Amino acid sequence: AQSVTQPDIHITVSEGASLELRCNYSYGATPYLFWYVQSPGQGLQLLLKYFSGDTLVQGIKGFEAEFKRSQSSFNLRKPSVHWSDAAEYFCAVVGDTGNQFYFGTGTSLTVIP
Amino acid sequence: NAGVTQTPKFQVLKTGQSMTLQCAQDMNHEYMSWYRQDPGMGLRLIHYSVGAGITDQGEVPNGYNVSRSTTEDFPLRLLSAAPSQTSVYFCASSYSGGAPETQYFGPGTRLLVL
């Protein structure tokens, strides 16, 4: 069965510091992986996705993620965090049906000035 | 395009009451789904639909009904609300092709069951 683990429930970083949010997935075949961001009181917005090809994918707002099959990971990174990046971040993997998403429990990011 | 819209934004119910959460999309997406979001549990799939007239259960379907009479609308019904259904509900839609597609989410409905 498909599943996603986000080991960090909450992360605090200083503005301008680098950021890495961890995501580990469980899936038997080639995974389709997504990162979404949720600002307080809002719905989810797509940051980036990996389907195939280059294992380093670029997304919106300066985010990138690297797919590592050997580690079953799809970690999200940003070189310099802005105060507006404070939000909750969700990693998701798509299941066998091609549409059924499995989400991690999320990582809440706090940015301190 | 309005994208995915949900109504109401917030609702308070008493135990045993029924209600329908509305979801509509104007992107002609075949696939629509309902999730609930609870603290520490992320988003869990309740029901989904791959097209008009076709629905199926997700991870946590108990206590919820759905139907899909049109491509645009996918309402979620609570027949007899329970406090355990207090949650934030998100509707999402996407194209339904051979490969996975990006899901677009509505703004959510916050439900409190007393």
Side-chain angles (χ1 to χ4, degrees):
Chain A
Q2 302 82 17
S3 67
V4 171
T5 301
Q6 293 181 248
D8 304 306
I9 296 173
H10 185 253
I11 285 181
T12 299
V13 299
S14 298
E15 190 169 17
S18 63
L19 172 70
E20 182 169 26
L21 303 182
R22 296 183 290 166
C23 172
N24 294 99
Y25 67 89
S26 173
Y27 187 62
T30 299
Y32 299 92
L33 297 158
F34 298 76
W35 274 101
Y36 282 85
V37 60
Q38 183 182 32
S39 297
Q42 304 296 314
L44 278 72
Q45 180 184 19
L46 179 71
L47 279 177
L48 48 80
K49 60 187 178 184
Y50 171 79
F51 282 4
S52 64
D54 193 346
T55 57
L56 185 64
V57 294
Q58 303 296 322
I60 63 171
K61 304 184 180 185
F63 285 92
E64 65 179 25
E66 185 171 13
F67 170 64
K68 293 185 177 180
R69 184 186 298 276
S70 62
Q71 299 177 17
S72 298
S73 68
F74 188 56
N75 294 348
L76 182 71
R77 300 193 296 246
K78 187 170 184 178
S80 178
V81 170
H82 188 262
W83 63 266
S84 60
D85 293 325
E88 186 135 22
Y89 292 80
F90 293 94
C91 183
V93 64
V94 177
D96 293 328
T97 64
N99 289 112
Q100 193 161 340
F101 278 50
Y102 294 86
F103 284 87
T105 52
T107 297
S108 177
L109 175 65
T110 297
V111 180
I112 56 177
Chain B
N1 287 350
V4 180
T5 58
Q6 293 183 238
T7 56
K9 291 184 178 180
F10 182 71
Q11 182 73 45
V12 179
L13 290 180
K14 295 180 180 179
T15 297
Q17 287 185 315
S18 63
M19 80 161 294
T20 299
L21 280 64
Q22 300 292 345
C23 174
Q25 52 90 11
D26 61 359
M27 297 174 281
N28 202 31
H29 286 164
E30 301 93 343
Y31 182 84
M32 296 185 73
S33 56
W34 277 102
Y35 294 87
R36 59 177 290 171
Q37 182 181 26
D38 303 293
M41 304 195 73
L43 280 79
R44 293 180 292 168
L45 182 65
I46 304 172
H47 285 285
Y48 65 96
S49 168
V50 297
I54 306 170
T55 64
D56 206 345
Q57 296 180 351
E59 183 183 359
V60 288
N62 292 341
Y64 307 95
N65 283 347
V66 293
S67 60
R68 182 99 178 266
S69 57
T70 67
T71 299
E72 294 79 18
D73 301 297
F74 190 45
L76 179 72
R77 298 183 186 86
L78 284 69
L79 298 180
S80 179
S84 61
Q85 294 178 305
T86 293
S87 187
V88 181
Y89 292 85
F90 289 99
C91 179
S93 73
S94 70
Y95 291 108
S96 181
E101 297 284 347
T102 300
Q103 291 206 17
Y104 296 87
F105 285 81
T109 293
R110 189 174 297 272
L111 177 66
L112 174 62
V113 182
L114 301 175

